[in-house]
Amino acid sequence: RNHLHAAGHICVLKDAFMYESPTEIANLASADKFDAALAIHLYKGGRLLQGSRIPFGIIFGGTDVNEDTKCEEKHRVMGAVLGEARFAVAFTVKMKELAAAEWPDARKKIHVQAQGIKTTPSETFDWYRFLQNADIPTDTGSLHMFLLICGLRRVKDPLYLVDVFSDWHRRDPSVHLGIIGPAVDPLFTSEVKEKVKRAPGVHLLQEVPQDDLHAAMKRCFAVVNSSISEGMSAAILEAMDLDIPVLARNILGNAAIIKHKETGLLFSDPQEFVVLSESLMNDPIMEREIVTRAKDYVKKHHSWESERKAYQNLVLRL
């Protein structure tokens, strides 16, 4: 929205979960006299634009191309939506190739544009109160806080590291894992809460505004990603921009932005996560080098300004 406002457009954000059918969106577009639409996620957002009277573009979310293609009905709907779209945006070349393999006729309309990020850490964030609210010791001299940022849904797999991290915490009480993010799937969120209750050293943290989250990231030892699949994790890129090392599960979306032991650390199983984390804790020179290279990478490939120009140009296609 910020990018489009900067180009002089009026942009209204709507949550796809508020609508059930293309008819509702058609009525909305007619009543408010919208000229065009941009849907995020080929299935969740795109299905609501089928048969739209206004031109539209699509931004792949990640789970659409990585997960929803496995469902025959969703695959059919997404193919129809992509056929009608003026353009589609993939975050990586690999994501474009995955989509093009499913819908070859759409290859020429898929553009590759990496996410741009902008970090805005709050200057008034109270780190000690944040820790106290989560019952985490506030002796920050010995604390090694790992932060896993994700919406609570199965594809993000926030429970992947819980058992091994809790075992590690029993051996080394200085390490703590905080899981923070919106309760996207209420049933799964209940599972996460029950599991975390029985896992010393692991904490389910209360959501905070983005500025406070960025400030919390800056105070952590590392940011963690344990997703089953990803499009492109904004949290990873934000951590890199904030000079915080990243430990991420070795999946296609993460490996597309992290070069192992150069701009971050990639793990293939929970045990390897602990080994890599301990090596990072014991080697401040490696940590500093990873953080420096990661920051340079984000500046070069994921700038907010580059993304702004790209989307302003794409919208002209509508």
Side-chain angles (χ1 to χ4, degrees):
R1 180 170 61 180
N2 286 339
H3 294 333
L4 298 179
H5 281 179
H9 304 293
I10 297 171
C11 180
V12 178
L13 297 184
K14 295 291 184 180
D15 186 343
F17 288 108
M18 295 170 57
Y19 302 93
E20 294 184 0
S21 72
T23 302
E24 292 177 87
I25 296 298
N27 292 338
L28 175 71
S30 177
D32 291 353
K33 294 184 170 63
F34 288 122
D35 298 305
L38 189 59
I40 300 174
H41 199 284
L42 184 54
Y43 182 74
K44 292 175 185 173
R47 66 185 177 86
L48 298 171
L49 292 173
Q50 274 191 284
S52 177
R53 294 178 182 177
I54 58 174
F56 66 88
I58 297 289
I59 302 172
F60 296 142
T63 52
D64 42 13
V65 177
N66 292 326
E67 303 294 333
D68 291 342
T69 50
K70 300 169 187 175
C71 170
E72 186 176 339
E73 174 59 17
K74 288 182 178 180
H75 189 284
R76 183 193 64 76
V77 170
M78 291 191 292
V81 171
L82 198 51
E84 293 181 38
R86 292 283 181 92
F87 64 81
V89 177
F91 294 142
T92 64
V93 172
K94 185 64 178 176
M95 189 187 292
K96 174 179 177 173
E97 292 304 318
L98 287 172
E102 299 292 337
W103 305 286
D105 292 343
R107 175 182 290 275
K108 290 183 180 179
K109 67 169 67 174
I110 303 174
H111 302 260
V112 176
Q113 172 58 44
Q115 279 198 90
I117 55 100
K118 184 179 183 181
T119 54
T120 54
S122 167
E123 295 182 2
T124 58
F125 175 70
D126 191 333
W127 173 239
Y128 297 99
R129 178 171 291 181
F130 181 74
L131 294 177
Q132 285 177 338
N133 289 341
D135 294 324
I136 298 171
T138 55
D139 178 12
T140 55
S142 61
L143 176 67
H144 290 94
M145 183 72 186
F146 293 75
L147 197 61
L148 196 164
I149 304 162
C150 68
L152 298 182
R153 52 193 177 115
R154 294 188 189 280
V155 72
K156 297 297 183 181
D157 209 3
L159 298 178
Y160 183 64
L161 298 171
V162 167
D163 288 337
V164 74
F165 200 100
S166 199
D167 289 343
W168 183 26
H169 172 78
R170 291 185 182 96
R171 300 195 314 272
D172 180 356
S174 78
V175 298
H176 289 261
L177 174 65
I179 303 171
I180 187 167
V184 179
D185 180 338
L187 185 62
F188 181 62
T189 298
S190 297
E191 286 183 37
V192 173
K193 287 179 178 178
E194 288 303 311
K195 180 80 171 180
V196 168
K197 278 181 188 176
R198 303 188 299 273
V202 182
H203 315 267
L204 188 58
L205 307 177
Q206 187 174 356
E207 267 193 279
V208 295
Q210 188 177 50
D211 291 359
D212 285 347
L213 180 60
H214 288 165
M217 291 165 74
K218 280 181 69 70
R219 300 299 299 268
C220 287
F221 175 72
V223 165
V224 180
N225 179 291
S226 59
S227 298
I228 294 169
S229 67
E230 281 283 358
M232 180 174 284
S233 168
I236 287 177
L237 297 175
E238 288 165 354
M240 289 176 164
D241 191 56
L242 291 166
D243 300 314
I244 303 302
V246 175
L247 292 113
R249 195 166 176 174
N250 193 1
I251 55 174
L252 287 175
N254 291 342
I257 55 177
I258 293 175
K259 193 167 184 180
H260 184 54
K261 293 190 176 179
E262 290 199 22
T263 55
L265 296 172
L266 295 169
F267 59 88
S268 298
D269 56 56
Q271 291 71 30
E272 187 180 16
F273 165 81
V274 174
V275 171
L276 291 172
S277 296
E278 289 179 325
S279 69
L280 193 65
M281 288 165 58
N282 294 324
D283 192 342
I285 294 175
M286 178 178 74
E287 179 192 354
R288 189 162 57 248
E289 288 176 348
I290 284 175
V291 162
T292 300
R293 286 191 293 260
K295 177 95 170 188
D296 291 341
Y297 166 80
V298 169
K299 280 185 176 180
K300 183 175 180 180
H301 298 285
H302 298 279
S303 80
W304 182 255
E305 292 75 17
S306 295
E307 184 187 59
R308 169 161 291 183
K309 290 176 184 175
Y311 279 106
Q312 289 173 350
N313 289 334
L314 277 171
V315 166
L316 295 177
R317 294 172 178 267
L318 297 175

